[in-house]
């Protein structure tokens, strides 16, 4: 038996040295000082370059099939229809920084000029135009960079390489990210995540730098944050995230409490970073205030986000507010389930896929809200009362999720959609970080007593994590196929969200494609049936008119009009005889367009109220709406010989869009059917005046009208240039031509297009040499229009020309 030395007397009497306290097995020790990453490393401790390369391979494998996906969903409007992207000219760049994100398609309260500028780079600089490959390549590159930055953030917080790599790999492949990566216009989410992660790294590195170096890094933070808020509005979370990072990553000294240590960190250096990014946040609010001050947008639409329409279904304001918040909490539960099991994904969750909370204990939708409330409450309690003091890395990532998710959560204010998978891109960073830290902490706790058991569990954890990453990657790869074209995307959405009206609108549009007029009747019938399923959802529990979407009603009506015209041509190619089936189609079209008109007029009333409440001058409050509703309604009325109704619809259309020649041409046709030949001729001339161009058969129609109005002297003559002209030597023709100018200017003044009214007056006086007495009865209105628009009323030339003058050249 080996001998054993006994302690000496000095050793026995010596005071016991305090042993360093072991970190709690339930927590990962927070980083007390920032670290610098090695670029290269070993397999056990890899460097940034090695990890970045591996993560890049993973991202490419998962999204390699996304390059075949087209300009679907919003991509066609934001990229395909935005003329600002076609050339990097100064005028286009100025328009990008002076107009909203959705302009010119429609007005919105979104302002993301740098995101739009990135599309311009793809479109015109890289010459991608409408070919989607280049756009997808940029999106994939941004996703890869974000994934690598997440690895670095995890490593700075946990100092565990494989844990950080696993979290980054999980983020790289998770199917919830496909709507931001595969969907091209998801680039806004990619850019804002890039900005947030870069600012966090710059903030971390500033603690390692010298005083001058720290100032330089914080100047870079300001520039990055300023760019971020103009990529997407949710970049404002940068400031609170920096504060949370400092609350989580600190070192206590001596007998300091947690709060004393945090306060010392703020006072010493943290506030410099906050001061650097605060001006960027203020700049966003300032620019949005200036941009939206005269915007006709007054609120979000309840058909896209029923939470904003909760007050319409509850007379009690408190009950309505709580109903909206409980619905938003229910949606959080849906997000959590899709994170765990992303088997069913959709590009749309519009009305009434997620019903409003109903205060019951039996409805499955309400039960989901109560369960979500319990889970949210438990997570918040654990985060503030346990993780903050025992596992600060977990606290940091949980707070990351809540701060990143807050702007789109509908908890604080209503946003443009009740639910969207794209909203989860930035918050998912916090989710995967929290899951990784929590899983590692639980594993440490379960294996704290036996090293052999710990090794066994850890050896099993690697293949298990790899299996999860592979399974999620396969799901993402398969999800990319849904984004190939409109048909595959909306078919998938209809299967996942059968109670959303918008999926049927999109699916009907995919059925007929961009050229509905060329489709046979059986295809139109399929589209009509599909779109009417969407209107049935809306009519089952109607929203207030200003929250209803008129687009799907317009689509159904358009399909009916096209079908009706096809039915007519089958029996009467000259459209002289209308069969009963065609009359039914036009009557159905009129019915749906009348519903759309009700919604459109209600939106205008709310918009006018909103602009008046903001103090906008009355002369700037123009009537807003979709002029095509009234144009198509007039067409439907004219097909069934309701001429007076058609004229009223066209008057409204010209008030909304007085520069559209279709309104004048259809008005001329309706007036001619009522035997009002003089007015019809005036509107035909007005159509050429507003667009300064000729239209097919317009001269033939004018000749026919003047043959009735003034048969004795030719009003329309052919000049030496072989072009037709208005014969200004004919007093009847000259009078009609002058009346066309007066009517056009009257319409411009009535619609408050004051600048156009003045320009038309100047055109009549200077180019067409009309005497100024023609406009004497509207002189006061034109003078006022000149002051408002800043365009002077030009004086007439000294000599008037005679003879044949072209009506539109």
């Amino acid at each position: 038996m080996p001998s054993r030395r006994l302690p000496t007397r000095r050793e026995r009497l010596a005071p016991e040295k305090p042993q360093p306290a072991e970190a709690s097995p339930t927590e990962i020790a927070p980083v007390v000082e920032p670290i610098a990453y090695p670029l290269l490393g070993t397999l056990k401790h890899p460097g940034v370059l090695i990890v970045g390369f591996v993560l890049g391979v993973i991202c490419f494998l998962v999204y390699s099939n996304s390059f075949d996906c087209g300009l679907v969903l919003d991509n066609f409007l934001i990229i395909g229809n935005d003329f600002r992207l076609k050339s990097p000219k100064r005028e286009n760049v100025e328009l990008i920084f002076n107009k909203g994100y959705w302009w010119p398609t429609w007005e919105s309260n979104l302002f993301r000029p740098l995101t739009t500028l990135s599309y311009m780079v793809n479109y015109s600089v890289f010459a991608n135009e409408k070919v989607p490959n280049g756009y997808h390549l940029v999106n994939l590159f941004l996703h890869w960079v974000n994934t690598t930055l997440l690895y670095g953030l995890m490593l700075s917080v946990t100092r565990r390489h494989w844990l950080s790599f696993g979290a980054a790999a999980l983020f790289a492949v998770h199917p919830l990210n496909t709507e931001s990566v595969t969907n091209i216009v998801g680039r806004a989410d990619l850019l804002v995540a890039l900005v947030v992660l870069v600012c966090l790294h710059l903030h971390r590195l500033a603690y390692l730098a010298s005083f001058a170096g720290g100032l330089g890094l914080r100047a870079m933070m300001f520039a990055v944050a300023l760019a971020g808020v103009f990529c997407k509005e949710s970049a404002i979370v940068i400031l609170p995230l920096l504060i949370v990072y400092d609350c989580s990553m600190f070192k206590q000294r001596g007998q300091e409490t947690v709060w004393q240590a945090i306060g010392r960190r703020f006072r010493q250096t943290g506030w410099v970073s906050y001061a650097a990014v605060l001006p960027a946040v203020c700049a966003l609010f300032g620019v949005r205030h200036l941009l939206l001050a005269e915007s006709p947008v007054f609120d979000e639409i309840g058909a896209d986000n029923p939470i904003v329409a909760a007050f319409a279904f509850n007379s009690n304001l408190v009950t309505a507010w709580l109903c909206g918040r409980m619905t938003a909490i229910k949606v959080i539960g849906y997000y959590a389930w899709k994170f765990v099991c992303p088997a069913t994904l959709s590009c749309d969750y519009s009305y009434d896929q997620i019903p409003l909370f109903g205060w019951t204990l039996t409805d499955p939708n309400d039960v989901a809200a109560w369960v979500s409330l319990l889970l949210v409450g438990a997570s918040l309690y654990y985060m503030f009362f346990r993780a903050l003091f025992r596992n600060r890395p977990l606290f940091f990532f949980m707070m990351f999720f809540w701060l990143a998710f807050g702007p789109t959560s509908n908890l604080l204010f209503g946003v443009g959609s009740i639910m969207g998978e794209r909203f989860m891109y930035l918050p998912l960073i916090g989710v995967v970080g929290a899951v990784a830290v929590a899983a590692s902490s639980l594993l440490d706790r379960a294996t704290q007593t036996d090293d052999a058991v710990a090794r066994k569990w850890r050896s099993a954890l690697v293949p298990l994590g790899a299996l999860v990453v592979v399974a999620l990657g396969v799901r993402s790869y398969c999800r990319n196929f849904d984004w190939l074209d409109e048909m595959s995307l909306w078919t998938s959405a209809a299967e996942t969200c059968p109670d959303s009206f918008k999926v049927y609108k999109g699916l009907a549009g995919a059925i007929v494609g961009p050229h509905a007029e060329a489709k046979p009747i059986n295809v139109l019938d399929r589209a009509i049936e599909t779109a009417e399923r969407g209107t049935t959802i809306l009519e089952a529990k109607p929203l207030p008119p200003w929250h209803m979407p008129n687009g799907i009603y317009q689509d159904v009506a358009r399909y009916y009009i096209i079908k009706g015209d096809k039915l007519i041509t089958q029996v009467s190619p000259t459209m002289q005889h209308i069969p009963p089936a065609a009359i039914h189609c036009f009557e159905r079209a009129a019915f749906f367009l009348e519903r759309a008109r009700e919604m459109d007029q209600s939106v205008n009333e709310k918009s006018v109220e909103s602009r008046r409440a903001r103090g906008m001058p009355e002369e700037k409050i123009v009537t807003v709406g979709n002029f095509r509703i009234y144009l198509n309604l007039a067409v439907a009325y004219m097909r069934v010989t309701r001429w007076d109704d058609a004229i009223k619809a066209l008057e409204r259309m010209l008030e909304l869009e007085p520069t559209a020649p279709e309104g004048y041409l259809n008005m001329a046709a309706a007036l001619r059917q009522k035997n009002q030949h003089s007015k019809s001729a005036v509107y035909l001339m007005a159509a050429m005046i507003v667009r300064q161009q000729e239209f097919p058969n317009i001269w033939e129609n004018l000749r026919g009208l003047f043959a009735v109005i003034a048969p004795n002297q030719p009003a329309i003559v052919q000049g030496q240039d072989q072009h037709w002209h208005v014969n200004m030597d004919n007093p009847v023709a000259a009078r009609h031509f002058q009346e066309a100018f007066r009517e056009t200017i009257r319409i411009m003044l009535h619609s408050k297009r004051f600048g156009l009214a003045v320009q038309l007056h100047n055109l009549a006086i200077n180019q067409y040499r009309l005497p100024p007495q023609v406009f004497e009865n509207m002189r006061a209105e034109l003078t006022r229009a000149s002051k408002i628009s800043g365009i002077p009323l030009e004086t007439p030339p000294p000599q008037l020309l005679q003879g044949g003058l072209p009506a539109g050249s």
Side-chain angles (χ1 to χ4, degrees):
M1 183 175 180
S3 62
R4 184 178 181 183
R5 186 180 73 86
L6 296 176
T8 63
R9 181 174 180 274
R10 178 177 295 179
E11 291 173 340
R12 290 196 304 270
L13 296 178
E16 184 177 355
K17 295 181 179 179
Q19 298 296 323
E22 295 183 359
S24 169
T26 62
E27 74 171 87
I28 298 174
V31 176
V32 294
E33 296 295 340
I35 59 173
Y37 309 137
L39 292 180
L40 295 174
T42 64
L43 184 61
K44 185 176 181 181
H45 298 290
V48 174
L49 293 181
I50 295 175
V51 172
F53 174 77
V54 175
L55 291 174
V57 172
I58 293 173
C59 291
F60 177 77
L61 290 175
V62 171
Y63 289 99
S64 58
N65 62 335
S66 68
F67 297 99
D68 298 326
C69 300
L71 296 178
V72 296
L73 201 63
D74 298 339
N75 298 282
F76 180 75
L77 298 175
I78 293 178
I79 295 175
N81 281 6
D82 192 344
F83 69 85
R84 297 175 296 180
L85 312 181
K86 295 182 179 180
S87 174
K89 297 186 299 184
R90 177 179 177 180
E91 308 91 86
N92 289 338
V93 175
E94 289 178 349
L95 281 173
I96 288 175
F97 281 90
N98 289 324
K99 298 293 184 179
Y101 183 61
W102 279 94
W103 195 87
T105 302
W106 54 64
E107 295 282 353
S108 74
N109 58 0
L110 301 180
F111 182 62
R112 302 169 182 175
L114 293 186
T115 300
T116 305
L117 200 63
S118 75
Y119 302 144
M120 172 188 277
V121 172
N122 268 117
Y123 195 108
S124 53
V125 178
F126 294 164
N128 299 133
E129 297 186 355
K130 297 182 182 181
V131 180
N133 291 356
Y135 300 92
H136 287 298
L137 182 62
V138 172
N139 278 21
L140 181 56
F141 173 77
L142 291 171
H143 182 54
W144 168 50
V145 173
N146 289 336
T147 303
T148 306
L149 289 172
L150 172 59
Y151 163 77
L153 180 64
M154 283 290 301
L155 186 60
S156 72
V157 174
T158 66
R159 288 190 177 179
R160 295 191 176 184
H161 291 276
W162 287 108
L163 178 68
S164 304
F165 175 79
L170 179 63
F171 178 77
V173 305
H174 202 284
L176 279 176
N177 286 336
T178 54
E179 189 168 335
S180 296
V181 182
T182 309
N183 180 25
I184 295 172
V185 296
R187 184 177 297 178
D189 302 290
L190 303 175
L191 290 172
V192 77
L194 174 66
V195 165
V196 168
L197 290 170
V198 167
C199 280
L200 282 170
H201 280 287
L202 291 174
H203 179 59
R204 179 188 61 81
L205 293 174
Y207 286 110
L208 292 172
S210 62
F211 177 78
L215 291 179
L217 290 170
R218 275 145 180 154
M220 293 174 61
M221 286 177 62
F222 165 72
V224 172
L226 186 63
V229 295
F230 294 119
C231 289
K232 189 176 180 180
E233 300 78 7
S234 55
I236 60 174
V237 302
I238 294 172
L239 180 58
L241 278 174
L242 294 178
I243 298 174
V244 170
Y245 181 86
D246 284 340
C247 287
S248 307
M249 305 294 110
F250 62 88
K251 180 179 180 180
Q252 291 175 257
R253 296 178 180 176
Q255 300 299 318
E256 277 185 335
T257 64
V258 169
W259 303 113
Q260 288 173 338
I262 293 174
R264 175 176 48 79
R265 188 178 178 97
F266 286 177
R267 291 191 302 272
Q268 287 179 346
T269 51
W271 68 271
V272 184
S273 294
Y274 316 148
V277 301
L278 182 60
V281 177
C282 296
L284 173 66
F285 288 106
V287 171
R288 281 179 60 84
H289 174 75
L290 294 175
L291 181 73
L292 303 178
E294 299 182 1
S295 172
V297 179
F298 64 92
D299 200 358
E300 305 294 347
I301 179 173
D304 291 330
N305 184 2
I307 291 176
V308 301
F311 293 94
F313 296 104
N314 295 271
S315 56
N316 186 290
L317 297 183
V318 175
T319 303
W321 187 87
L322 291 174
C323 171
R325 305 295 77 73
M326 285 296 292
T327 306
I329 289 173
K330 175 176 63 176
V331 172
I332 296 174
Y334 292 159
Y335 281 126
W337 176 246
K338 289 187 180 294
F339 173 77
V340 176
C341 182
T344 55
L345 300 172
S346 174
C347 63
D348 183 82
Y349 295 89
S350 297
Y351 192 80
D352 194 23
Q353 180 62 33
I354 302 177
L356 289 170
F357 180 70
W359 302 103
T360 72
L361 296 175
T362 55
D363 189 315
N365 289 292
D366 293 344
V367 171
W370 291 117
V371 173
S372 298
L373 179 63
L374 181 63
L375 294 176
V376 168
S379 67
L380 292 176
Y381 173 82
Y382 182 83
M383 180 176 68
F384 285 111
F385 295 98
R386 303 282 291 180
L388 177 60
F389 301 100
R390 302 185 62 183
N391 195 338
R392 291 200 294 273
L394 180 59
F395 170 78
F396 170 72
F397 283 109
M398 292 180 74
M399 280 297 297
F400 192 111
F401 164 76
W402 284 110
L403 290 173
F405 182 64
T408 56
S409 66
N410 287 297
L411 289 171
L412 303 176
F413 48 83
V415 297
S417 178
I418 190 171
M419 182 175 179
E421 291 157 17
R422 63 192 179 278
F423 295 158
M424 283 299 293
Y425 187 83
L426 182 60
L428 202 63
I429 293 174
V431 174
V432 297
V435 168
V437 172
S440 181
S441 299
L442 290 174
L443 181 63
D444 288 346
R445 185 174 186 180
T447 59
Q448 59 182 320
T449 57
D450 191 333
D451 290 341
V453 175
R455 286 192 296 270
K456 181 179 179 180
W457 276 99
R458 289 185 185 280
S459 62
L461 187 62
V462 174
L464 179 62
L467 182 63
V468 171
V469 169
V470 170
L472 292 175
V474 171
R475 176 67 184 103
S476 294
Y477 187 88
C478 295
R479 172 61 175 163
N480 292 334
F481 288 115
D482 292 339
W483 292 89
L484 283 175
D485 52 40
E486 296 284 348
M487 181 62 75
S488 60
L489 181 65
W490 291 113
T491 301
S492 170
E495 294 171 354
T496 303
C497 297
D499 295 324
S500 171
F501 86 91
K502 191 178 287 186
V503 301
Y504 299 107
K505 178 183 186 299
L507 185 57
I511 290 172
V512 298
H515 305 291
E517 296 80 3
K519 295 295 187 292
I521 289 178
N522 64 319
V523 174
L524 291 170
D525 284 336
R526 284 177 54 208
I528 289 170
E529 180 184 2
T530 302
E532 284 189 329
R533 290 180 65 184
T535 61
T536 301
I537 292 173
L538 292 167
E539 297 295 338
K541 189 171 66 174
L543 292 160
W546 58 90
H547 281 301
M548 290 282 277
N550 60 52
I552 189 170
Y553 292 87
Q554 293 183 67
D555 289 351
V556 179
R558 185 168 65 93
Y559 304 149
Y560 268 121
I561 291 175
I562 295 172
K563 178 184 175 182
D565 288 344
K566 287 183 176 292
L567 290 172
I568 294 175
T569 56
Q570 286 180 352
V571 299
S572 177
T574 59
M575 301 189 75
Q576 298 300 315
H577 173 67
I578 302 179
I583 292 176
H584 171 73
C585 289
F586 298 132
E587 288 175 344
R588 290 291 291 168
F591 167 77
F592 284 107
L593 287 168
E594 285 166 354
R595 288 286 289 130
R597 178 180 61 186
E598 176 187 355
M599 302 165 195
D600 187 78
Q601 291 176 350
S602 180
V603 167
N604 176 63
E605 292 171 3
K606 288 290 182 180
S607 177
V608 169
E609 291 176 9
S610 173
R611 284 175 284 172
R612 283 176 178 160
R614 281 179 263 160
M616 185 182 298
E618 197 67 29
E619 61 269 11
K620 292 187 176 182
I621 303 179
V622 299
T623 303
V624 296
N626 189 334
F627 76 92
R628 297 199 178 277
I629 294 175
Y630 305 91
L631 176 61
N632 289 329
L633 182 58
V635 170
Y637 285 150
M638 291 167 69
R639 294 288 193 273
V640 292
T641 67
R642 294 171 58 179
W643 308 114
D644 291 333
D645 291 333
I647 290 172
K648 290 179 181 179
L650 290 168
E651 288 173 349
R652 177 71 173 188
M653 181 231 164
L654 290 174
E655 182 181 1
L656 293 173
E657 187 49 75
T659 63
E662 300 92 339
Y664 298 91
L665 295 172
N666 281 279
M667 181 71 82
L671 290 169
R672 185 169 187 173
Q673 292 295 329
K674 288 176 62 65
N675 294 320
Q676 298 182 18
H677 299 95
S678 291
K679 285 188 177 181
S680 180
V682 166
Y683 275 92
L684 282 178
M685 293 178 179
M688 290 190 291
I689 290 172
V690 296
R691 280 296 172 90
Q692 294 289 288
Q693 67 182 48
E694 298 180 7
F695 299 96
N697 303 322
I698 198 166
W699 292 112
E700 182 180 346
N701 291 333
L702 279 172
R703 290 175 64 193
L705 288 169
F706 278 107
V708 177
I709 300 169
N712 298 327
Q713 185 178 358
I716 306 299
V717 296
Q718 194 172 25
Q720 297 180 355
D721 57 0
Q722 302 302 312
H723 289 282
W724 292 98
H725 299 263
V726 176
N727 184 10
M728 299 299 288
D729 292 330
N730 183 337
V732 176
R735 187 175 68 251
H736 280 76
F737 188 60
Q738 295 169 2
E739 182 60 30
F741 259 106
R742 280 198 299 266
E743 179 65 11
T744 308
I745 293 174
R746 183 196 66 79
I747 292 173
M748 296 296 173
L749 292 170
H750 178 67
S751 61
K752 299 183 181 179
R753 270 60 169 192
F754 299 112
L756 291 175
V758 175
Q759 290 175 12
L760 282 173
H761 169 269
N762 295 340
L763 179 73
I765 296 297
N766 294 333
Q767 179 172 333
Y768 292 103
R769 306 300 193 263
L770 298 186
Q773 293 80 7
V774 171
F775 308 102
E776 191 62 34
N777 61 344
M778 54 177 62
R779 177 66 56 182
E781 291 182 82
L782 284 169
T783 302
R784 177 172 174 268
S786 175
K787 292 180 180 179
I788 294 173
S789 63
I791 302 174
L793 286 173
E794 297 181 8
T795 57
Q799 184 178 0
L800 300 179
L801 300 181
Q802 302 295 325
L805 293 176
S809 61

